[in-house]
Amino acid sequence: MRVFADLGWFFRAHWVRYAVGIILLFLVEVLQLIPPWLIGQVVNRFVTRHYTVTYLWRVLAVILLAQLLSYALRYGWRLMLYGGSLELASELRRRLYRHFTELSPVFYQQHRIGDLMAHSTNDVQAVQETAGDGVLTLADSVLTAAVVVATMATRINGFLTLVALLPLPVMAYVVTRYGHWLHDRFIKAQAAFSDLNDRVQEIISGIRVVRAFGQETWEKHEFRDLSEQVMVKNIAVSQIDALFDPTVSVIVGLSYFLALAVGGWMVIHRTLNIGQLTTFTLYLGELIWPMMAFGFLFNIVERGRASYERIQRLLTEKPAIHDRPGAVDTLAPGPIHYGIPTFSYPGADHPVLQDVTLDIPAGAFVGILGRTGSGKSTLLRLLLREFDLTAGDITIAGTSIYQVTLRALRAQLAYVPQDHVIFSATVRDNIAFGYPQASLDEIVRVSRLAEIDEDIRRFPEGYDTLVGERGVTLSGGQQQRLSIARALLRPAAILVLDDALSAVDVQTEARILENLRHATQDRTLLLATHRVKAVEGADWVIVLDDGRVVESGSPSTLLARASLFSKMWQRQQLVGVTKGEDAPW
Ligand code: ATP
Ligand code: MG
């Protein structure tokens, strides 16, 4: 039941709704006492032959009225309580979503997408049921039981009530045990479902590769296994689930048996009349539902608790990257300084960068060249604070990037990541993603700079064409150029391109870089690439190898001497590296 305490914050915030719901519920319970009582009265009058037809009609009318009224009241409390649970679900989803957007790449490296999806669907659903059906069943069963038992004990016979309810503690015990088993099995079922979710997500997003490699059959087998696991685990849950009803029936049956045995004996000895016994057994019947409900309740609440715990655990996960205390919300553009003695990724022991000291003047075009795995992306991602340094510092205009807020830092940066993301939206919305207030003219202007405008005009609906999963599929080069247009639209002082032109041909690349140089003269441009050609026009080139800066200088000075750079230049000239593939180092 702890989950109700855990959800206290929500119930407190919506107390009016819950109070009204529970009051209505209470009224229903009181109304439900009337028919059995009247029936008992009628039975007594039949026995003593003291009745008139008008009397019977009146009783019938009252019973009907009570039922009609409780119909309306029941509708009222359902609306109240279920409405509350929907609000809770939406609030939890909102919190999870907000939290997901705040968490850093490390988190997404450590968690599986399938798990996160399960949290935001299944777990939220389970908690929603706790706040809806759970609260309802709890209030309903406790209120019904209390009202009915009190009436039985005080208005009919205390001793008889005690005897008839003797089996109850047994039931409470058994049902609690079931609840614990259910909890364990439910957690396993949820975990299996997560595995399945994860696999489905992976297979669907990688379906082209799966097909191309002819792995459909294998995938089908693996999927069948996972799906079977989900079934097996859920059957284990329902095996316990299925125990609730029979258990409750047996115990209720026992109660009836005791009530009739002892009640009948009392009637024979005239300490109870027939009408009272009738009313008593009818009341006992009204207790069946609360007892069953208790079973459901355990079930629902156990699930809700497991799910709420998982959601809470996620929500308390601290973003690894956050604003430091006292961070300032403004950052002036200016030269960038890197001073990194050493950097390793969290959890990795091997340093990825070592002794990197760089000074990048404002407005410069700096090429970062290096073979795959040399640390180019890492260098750029550190500037963006996707990961934090553990030693050394990076400054912009003399201010450490750790002394400003993430918002202020990222406002100065326009970033084209190596693995670009295209959303299922129109071309226009995709480009305006980081700067939604942009006009169409501005969007067209940056698209021209990124050499994607002509491609877009050939799409069926131009800038309004849907792309991504629900629309036109873009080629790798188109995706890259669209990502560049997106970044160019942001009025940021530093433009960061991480291997952003690897999928376009050398000529287009050269044109785009030329455009960038003209249009963004006052912006600093950091460009990571394998291709020497791409950095020919740079003011300064840094050559990274195995996490160290092995050479740096202007392209012309590097070319003039026998440098790694000039060797690479010659080789790439010879092979004529054009598209995509790695440079021959
Ligand atoms: P490429 O040209 O292939 O893009 P790169 O020069 O950009 O390569 P990085 O992505 O910076 O290279 O990677 C440098 C090293 O850091 C690699 O050895 C890589 O395995 C490691 N690395 C990259 N990202 C992570 C991460 N998130 N966690 C742990 N290690 C990582
Ligand atoms: Mg990279």
Side-chain angles (χ1 to χ4, degrees), residues 371-378 380-381 418 498-499 528 530:
R371 76 174 95 199
T372 172
S374 57
K376 304 181 295 295
S377 299
T378 309
L380 299 179
R381 295 171 82 186
Q418 194 165 3
D498 189 355
D499 223 354
H530 303 137

Side-chain angles (χ1 to χ4, degrees), residues 111-115 117 193-207 223 469:
H111 288 79
R112 300 178 313 165
I113 304 289
D115 264 342
M117 303 272 282
F193 182 71
S194 279
D195 286 344
L196 186 71
N197 237 351
D198 218 50
R199 202 67 206 136
V200 171
Q201 201 255 339
E202 241 171 58
I203 294 173
I204 291 181
S205 51
I207 192 73
F223 185 82
E469 283 171 7

Side-chain angles (χ1 to χ4, degrees), residues 237-397:
V237 170
S238 54
Q239 278 167 346
I240 302 291
D241 242 356
L243 280 176
F244 280 102
D245 273 19
T247 310
V248 170
S249 302
V250 166
I251 290 172
V252 168
L254 205 61
S255 277
Y256 271 121
F257 174 79
L258 290 173
L260 277 179
V262 177
W265 185 83
M266 289 168 96
V267 171
I268 292 169
H269 289 81
R270 300 200 178 272
T271 44
L272 197 74
N273 60 44
I274 299 220
Q276 282 175 316
L277 183 59
T278 311
T279 304
F280 190 87
T281 44
L282 286 174
Y283 279 163
L284 211 51
E286 285 194 357
L287 280 180
I288 297 180
W289 157 245
M291 287 191 215
M292 299 271 272
F294 237 73
F296 298 142
L297 180 68
F298 268 89
N299 193 334
I300 296 168
V301 168
E302 282 303 319
R303 276 175 208 189
R305 182 161 72 99
S307 289
Y308 192 66
E309 276 167 12
R310 302 213 305 177
I311 294 177
Q312 269 324 86
R313 217 174 309 131
L314 256 189
L315 284 177
T316 45
E317 187 108 21
K318 288 265 174 308
I321 311 290
H322 48 81
D323 289 339
R324 305 271 164 99
V328 201
D329 205 22
T330 55
L331 174 63
I336 306 167
H337 171 77
Y338 273 95
I340 306 176
T342 174
F343 173 75
S344 324
Y345 277 102
D349 41 11
H350 185 72
V352 176
L353 292 176
Q354 274 178 319
D355 297 325
V356 177
T357 311
L358 298 175
D359 277 295
I360 300 167
F365 170 10
V366 174
I368 301 160
L369 198 63
R371 76 174 95 199
T372 172
S374 57
K376 304 181 295 295
S377 299
T378 309
L379 198 68
L380 299 179
R381 295 171 82 186
L382 284 171
L383 177 64
L384 275 137
R385 280 196 69 192
E386 280 196 13
F387 294 88
D388 277 357
L389 285 175
T390 43
D393 202 359
I394 301 173
T395 62
I396 296 178

